[in-house]
Amino acid sequence: MRLLLVEDDAMIGDSLREALRRQGFAADWVRDGQAADAVLSSGERFDAVLLDLGLPRLGGVEVLRALRARGDATPVIVLTARDALADKVAGLDAGADDYLVKPFELDELLARLRAVTRRHQGGRASPVLQVADLKLDPATREVTRAGRPVLLSAREFALLEALLERPGAIVSRAQLEDRLYGWGEELESNAISVYMHQLRKKLGADLLHTVRGLGYYAGPEKGGMA
Ligand code: CA
């Protein structure tokens, strides 16, 4: 398995790369955000990226946003020294698959790596979800509308996935909140409508509908359900 390690701390980077190599990984190491962005946009393929957030020249969140904006679904685990909720949220929102707070045990990193790459590659079992020309691939976490990739935050993705699992079925706000609570953050009471608004802005409003007092559904608009 080929990994890209993005870490500006020489001691952490060196020991992590050595540890990963001893585990049989091919680990490439770059020390700043611009170098990471250059490697990741060069067409080289990695099975996963370990990405520090606090980086010189270009921040980790920016590197990640740029990667996802190119439609690249390579699994990314964010490494952050700061145990701040805001950092984890920013990483996940920018498209990270998981995060680890430094210092972490190598065993934990290896377990997370296995999990994200299994989700990424082995997701063949989970079918692509689709209504009309809107598609969501749970395995690669790619969303397309009319064949064009659309970049969603982690929460927007989770929300859309919940709706597309049962096209046409009304899903209540409480059910949707349950899906998003998995990210470990307190939700504002209007969070779901805010995320729905975002989804409509990114994907178009014609396939995402609100049924007042009941919830939301994805699919062609049903007549008489104003
Ligand atoms: Ca750093």
Side-chain angles (χ1 to χ4, degrees):
M1 196 186 310
R2 181 156 184 237
L3 302 178
L4 180 66
L5 171 62
V6 188
E7 170 62 75
D8 61 311
D9 184 300
M11 265 178 51
I12 296 176
D14 197 41
S15 60
L16 198 48
R17 181 174 58 174
E18 283 315 301
L20 287 166
R21 286 182 171 173
R22 278 197 301 274
Q23 296 289 326
F25 293 97
D28 296 323
W29 176 23
V30 293
R31 298 167 184 236
D32 69 70
Q34 271 181 18
D37 191 56
V39 172
L40 288 168
S41 50
S42 70
E44 290 200 55
R45 304 306 304 173
F46 296 91
D47 295 295
V49 179
L50 304 176
L51 180 64
D52 184 28
L53 284 189
L55 291 168
R57 301 175 78 193
L58 186 66
V61 168
E62 281 69 40
V63 172
L64 183 49
R65 282 213 185 98
L67 179 77
R68 295 302 187 231
R70 290 191 293 271
D72 190 326
T74 302
V76 174
I77 298 179
V78 157
L79 310 176
T80 174
R82 297 158 293 181
D83 189 9
L85 179 63
D87 282 349
K88 296 174 201 166
V89 169
L92 292 170
D93 269 347
D97 297 87
D98 206 345
Y99 64 85
L100 275 171
V101 176
K102 291 186 275 192
F104 50 81
E105 298 291 325
L106 183 63
D107 282 347
E108 178 163 24
L109 171 61
L110 297 176
R112 305 278 183 104
L113 271 174
R114 280 194 296 273
V116 297
T117 52
R118 195 185 315 120
R119 279 206 296 271
H120 186 68
Q121 301 161 342
R124 306 280 176 263
S126 40
V128 172
L129 307 175
Q130 179 171 10
V131 291
D133 61 357
L134 172 58
K135 290 185 189 176
L136 178 150
D137 187 335
T140 62
R141 302 186 69 77
E142 281 172 334
V143 174
T144 58
R145 180 83 209 255
R148 290 184 49 202
V150 181
L151 182 68
L152 299 183
S153 74
R155 284 180 195 76
E156 290 160 2
F157 182 92
L159 188 50
L160 184 64
E161 187 177 30
L163 293 173
L164 289 180
E165 279 169 3
R166 293 188 296 148
I170 295 169
V171 186
S172 73
R173 194 181 81 180
Q175 287 172 318
L176 293 172
E177 283 175 352
D178 279 347
R179 291 290 289 256
L180 301 200
Y181 267 115
W183 297 100
E185 199 198 21
E186 198 90 13
L187 286 179
E188 300 285 331
S189 63
N190 67 344
I192 299 297
S193 52
V194 170
Y195 289 127
M196 284 301 294
H197 178 77
Q198 288 297 116
L199 282 175
R200 288 190 182 110
K201 244 172 46 186
K202 292 181 175 183
L203 298 164
D206 55 321
L207 293 174
L208 299 168
H209 309 287
T210 303
V211 184
R212 220 163 272 293
L214 290 178
Y216 305 88
Y217 70 93
E221 186 158 26
K222 302 180 212 177
M225 288 202 64

